[in-house]
Amino acid sequence: MPNSDISIDSNMLFPHADKIVHFIMYFFLQVLCMRHNGILNLKNKTTLIFGLVIFYGIFLELVQGYFLVDRFFENYDIIANITGAFIGIVFFNFIKS
């Protein structure tokens, strides 16, 4: 959605609420990818999946920053993505054990 169409007052409960959405989405993306990693026969699947999820998040930020009108690259979005993915690993390993 173009940034100009978003009303911060009507769509956000507080400033930077989108970072929470980034965190939650990448948390679930990481957990789902780890849940369905049976096709990989590598020794350290978690690191590979984490790297791919982070690459995906950075790639999307770069695309919206350089190729989309009314969208912006934000370092804090990447930090929220990485944090969500990392906590997803911790959560998955806790539930698995």
Side-chain angles (χ1 to χ4, degrees):
M1 179 182 312
N3 203 15
S4 61
D5 293 342
I6 299 174
S7 171
I8 293 176
D9 294 334
S10 65
N11 291 331
M12 304 272 184
L13 297 175
F14 52 89
H16 309 294
D18 65 313
K19 305 310 178 254
I20 294 173
V21 173
H22 277 265
F23 176 89
I24 292 169
M25 297 305 286
Y26 279 82
F27 170 85
F28 283 114
L29 178 62
Q30 183 72 36
V31 170
L32 290 174
C33 287
M34 290 183 67
R35 172 76 171 94
H36 298 290
N37 68 6
I39 60 172
L40 299 173
N41 291 322
L42 301 173
K43 184 176 181 180
N44 198 350
K45 298 176 189 178
T46 302
T47 303
L48 176 65
I49 294 169
F50 181 68
L52 290 173
V53 168
I54 297 311
F55 173 78
Y56 177 71
I58 292 171
F59 175 75
L60 288 180
E61 285 297 318
L62 289 171
V63 166
Q64 76 180 12
Y66 291 107
F67 300 110
L68 300 177
V69 178
D70 292 332
R71 300 293 295 178
F72 304 100
F73 177 90
E74 292 189 40
N75 288 324
Y76 291 119
D77 286 351
I78 293 174
I79 292 169
N81 298 347
I82 292 170
T83 306
F86 181 75
I87 299 299
I89 292 171
V90 172
F91 175 79
F92 182 83
N93 289 331
F94 178 75
I95 295 298
K96 187 178 171 184
S97 63

